[in-house]
């Protein structure tokens, strides 16, 4: 649609040029003759401000009426002796008798009654602005799209001549950035905070900009922002926030000593100002970074301080901080201390729910009863206190089911099955694992719905953002038009050369159209890039449940056909594989070295199950520096899975699976996956009717991911699939992977 608008704008510009120059040629060639009509040109402007007046009626009695344009200009046909009536609500009617073909430039005084009505209109627009701004702020947590809609209405209510226009726009773009920050879109929040600062500088807004950069993991940018703020005049609370921001930036940049120094400075200032909330947060951050350095004793001291301070606050703060401290003691294997803290947190949570103090926010989901019961059970299980662990796992399942928390319900069910298995109660363990599979299916459906909702929500936000961007461009365009009109009038007064003014005007208009075309093109490109990122996230979210579902089927089958010891060994390797898959699931690319490790583990598991069906080998060319190449996670596994399940599994004699990584040149490598199985044609023939109706989700997702990644990163991965032999037996998959440049 935008491309069509640009095309039509160009056509209209060409027509306008033709008509304009035809008008000039007529004006130059026609001589004023009494018996023939002539084109009278003129303008209407306010006398004091020289401001053009739009939509003024220019009437010749009995012959027609025209209106002035946005620049106050008009053209009308008349004869010598005709009376031109110039009328508008903002001034008294002016009459002019045509004497010759000269321009009719009229300057008028505005009517005082009209001025009063304009003041009343400004009061109404000011009221609309404030009302919509308050609505935008109050609906952020309830309906983000509606909140952005109110921001749009507030922007529309700002008049061009409003002396506070820039301050209002700064306030609106700050609120819009707050909305994006709440919606976990820090990149959009950062850009809108910058727009707000461009209209009016505000220290608090710049601090918010630094926080948005931290959320977007732009640690270098955040460090620069907070460093600039240190040179500003700050109050005590702002100094604490800046020092904390510098600590977070240094931590992200892996400068632990700098982070500790900044956190301690912020903590000292917080103690002097009695800001307990900040003391709790800073003690926790210091404990976290000291634990990473291995200094657990000092870390525990900071953490105990934060718990003591939290106990003096409300129940929610106390529960939250006890949960944080319990996580710390879990990492250091202090399970008794962890269990004690979590039980105290549970007591706080129960009182919160009984008194219904306020609803839990997104960041408070870690202090729900089901999560705390689950973690207490894990602590008991780690100490091999299985009876205590079972009771807490059961309670966690019950709480999670009542609150439709499928994730915790899934994890508690799986762990409960493992505990029963460790106790030797295999029948109960089997029941729990069967229930676990049912919950995984429900969770998969729920995730698909969430992805669909996220996509729809993203489209709604994009439309709202485009509307606001269009308003801003329209405002800039209107300002430019008024500036051009004023410049054109000055040139007309100085030189009296209308044709030269029109040429300048057309040049300016052409530049504006080109600028609009460029901005539209850039916006389309950015939107396409955002859509690609959303699609990649959606495909990755689909790949993980699909892979886990297939792998669990393998585990279930193996457990059913093998003894307990072998099954335990298989599950141990399977858990290692799951950990690796989940760690890499949120990344677009991972080092090739990690993908090879994951692939070796997966092939080992499949070979463990189908030892009588195939042998395998994984060869990596020593000339390849596997740390220099980046590859999409889980890219190779579906091809290997297809080779085993659809090629080698059905072969009557023992087959071979070969995976090779060969260097092509300095910038690319070739990955070859070969099997001497039954081949694609025979595998397709063996499928049941039901299997033929179903599409391979794994291979379909891989194909889509490669298409999107190649579009975004310029043909980074190429895939070729062919038969291994001329008799259509066996399959070869070749992938060409290019190094990042």
């Amino acid at each position: 649609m935008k491309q069509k608008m640009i095309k039509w704008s160009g056509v209209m510009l060409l027509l306008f040029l033709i008509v304009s120059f035809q008008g000039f040629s007529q004006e130059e060639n026609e001589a004023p003759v009494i018996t023939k009509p002539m084109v009278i040109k003129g303008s209407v402007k306010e006398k004091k401000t020289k401001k053009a007046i739009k939509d003024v009626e220019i009437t010749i009695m009995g012959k027609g009426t025209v209106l002035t344009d946005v620049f106050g200009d008009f053209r009308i046909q008349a004869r010598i002796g005709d009376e031109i009536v110039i009328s508008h609500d903002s001034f008294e009617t002016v009459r002019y008798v045509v004497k010759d073909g000269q321009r009719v430039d009229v300057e008028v005084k505005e009517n005082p009654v009209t001025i009063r009505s304009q003041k009343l209109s400004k009061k109404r627009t000011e009221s609309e602005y404030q009302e919509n701004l308050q609505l935008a702020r109050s609906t952020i947590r309830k309906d983000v799209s509606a909140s952005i809609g109110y921001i749009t209405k507030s922007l529309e209510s700002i008049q061009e001549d409003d002396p506070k226009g820039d301050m209002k726009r700064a306030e609106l773009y700050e609120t819009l950035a707050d909305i994006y920050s709440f919606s976990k879109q820090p990149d959009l929040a950062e850009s809108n905070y910058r727009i707000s600062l461009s209209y009016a500088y505000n220290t608090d807004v710049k601090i918010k900009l630094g926080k948005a950069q931290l959320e977007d993991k732009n640690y270098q940018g955040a460090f620069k922002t907070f460093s600039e703020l240190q040179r500003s005049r700050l109050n005590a609370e702002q100094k604490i926030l800046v020092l904390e921001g510098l600590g977070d930036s240094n931590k992200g940049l892996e400068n632990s000593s700098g982070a500790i120094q900044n956190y301690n400075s912020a903590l000292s200032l917080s103690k002097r100002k009695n800001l307990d909330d900040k003391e709790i947060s800073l003690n926790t951050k210091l404990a976290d970074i000291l634990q990473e350095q291995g200094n657990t004793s000092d870390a525990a001291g900071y953490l105990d301080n934060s718990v003591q301070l939290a106990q003096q606050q409300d129940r929610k703060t106390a529960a939250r901080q006890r949960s944080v401290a319990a996580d710390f003691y879990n990492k250091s294997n202090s399970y008794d201390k962890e269990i004690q803290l979590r039980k105290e947190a549970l007591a706080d949570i129960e009182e919160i729910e009984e008194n219904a103090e306020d609803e839990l926010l997104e960041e408070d989901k870690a202090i729900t009863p089901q999560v705390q019961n689950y973690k207490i059970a894990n602590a008991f299980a780690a100490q091999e206190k299985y009876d205590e662990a079972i009771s807490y796992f059961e309670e966690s399942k019950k709480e999670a089911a009542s609150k439709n928390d499928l994730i915790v319900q899934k994890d508690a069910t799986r762990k409960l099955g493992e505990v029963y298995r460790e106790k030797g109660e295999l029948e109960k363990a089997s029941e729990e694992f069967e229930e676990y599979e049912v919950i995984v299916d429900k969770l998969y459906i729920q995730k698909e719905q969430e992805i669909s909702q996220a996509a729809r929500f993203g489209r709604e936000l994009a439309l709202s953002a485009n509307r606001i961007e269009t308003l801003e461009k329209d405002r800039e365009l209107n300002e430019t038009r008024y500036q051009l009109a004023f410049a054109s009038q000055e040139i007309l007064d100085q030189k009296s050369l209308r044709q030269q003014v029109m040429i300048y005007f057309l040049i300016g208009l052409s530049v504006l159209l080109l600028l609009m075309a460029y901005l539209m093109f850039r916006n389309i490109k950015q939107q396409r890039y955002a859509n690609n990122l959303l699609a990649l996230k959606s495909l990755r979210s689909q790949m993980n449940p699909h892979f886990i579902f297939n792998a669990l089927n393998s585990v279930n089958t193996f457990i059913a056909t093998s003894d307990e010891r072998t099954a335990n060994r298989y599950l141990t390797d399977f858990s290692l594989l799951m950990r690796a898959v989940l760690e890499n699931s949120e990344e677009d690319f991972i080092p090739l070295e990690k993908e090879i490790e994951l692939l070796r583990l997966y092939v080992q598991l499949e070979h463990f199950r189908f030892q009588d069906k195939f042998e395998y080998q994984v060869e990596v060319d020593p000339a390849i520096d596997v740390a220099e190449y980046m590859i999409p996670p889980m890219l190779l596994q579906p091809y290997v899975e297809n080779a085993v399940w659809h090629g080698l599994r059905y072969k009557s004699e023992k087959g071979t699976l070969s995976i090779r990584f060969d260097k092509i040149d300095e910038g690319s490598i070739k990955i070859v996956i070969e099997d001497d199985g039954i081949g694609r044609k025979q595998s397709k023939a063996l499928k049941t009717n039901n299997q033929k109706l179903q599409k391979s989700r794994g291979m379909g997702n891989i194909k889509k991911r490669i298409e999107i990644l190649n579009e975004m990163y310029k043909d980074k991965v190429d895939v070729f699939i062919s038969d291994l032999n001329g008799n259509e037996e066996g399959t070869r998959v070749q992938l060409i992977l290019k190094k990042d440049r």
Side-chain angles (χ1 to χ4, degrees), residues 252-264:
L253 295 170
E254 299 181 357
N255 180 9
S256 300
S257 60
I260 292 172
Q261 181 181 350
N262 292 132
Y263 287 147
N264 276 317

Side-chain angles (χ1 to χ4, degrees), residues 200-250:
Y201 181 83
N202 184 293
T203 300
D204 291 330
V205 174
K206 191 154 187 178
I207 291 173
K208 289 181 178 180
L209 170 63
K211 290 181 178 179
Q213 290 170 323
L214 286 174
E215 290 175 6
D216 201 28
K217 297 183 180 180
N218 179 11
Y219 300 118
Q220 194 66 49
F223 182 81
K224 180 181 178 183
T225 299
F226 287 118
S227 297
E228 292 172 353
L229 280 163
Q230 275 195 309
R231 297 192 289 269
S232 306
R233 296 184 61 181
L234 306 170
N235 59 37
E237 291 186 4
Q238 290 172 338
K239 286 180 181 178
I240 292 170
L241 291 173
V242 169
L243 287 168
E244 184 181 17
L246 284 169
D248 293 339
S249 303
N250 276 314

Side-chain angles (χ1 to χ4, degrees), residues 603-641:
V603 177
Q604 179 181 330
L605 283 173
E606 291 293 0
H607 181 257
F608 195 59
R609 181 177 174 188
F610 299 112
Q611 293 183 19
D612 59 333
K613 289 295 183 180
F614 72 98
E615 295 293 339
Y616 72 95
Q617 56 185 4
V618 180
E619 300 177 355
V620 181
D621 188 345
I624 299 175
D625 187 350
V626 292
E628 291 185 357
Y629 286 84
M630 303 296 290
I631 187 169
M634 297 287 289
L635 180 70
L636 304 178
Q637 180 272 336
Y639 294 114
V640 176
E641 181 180 352

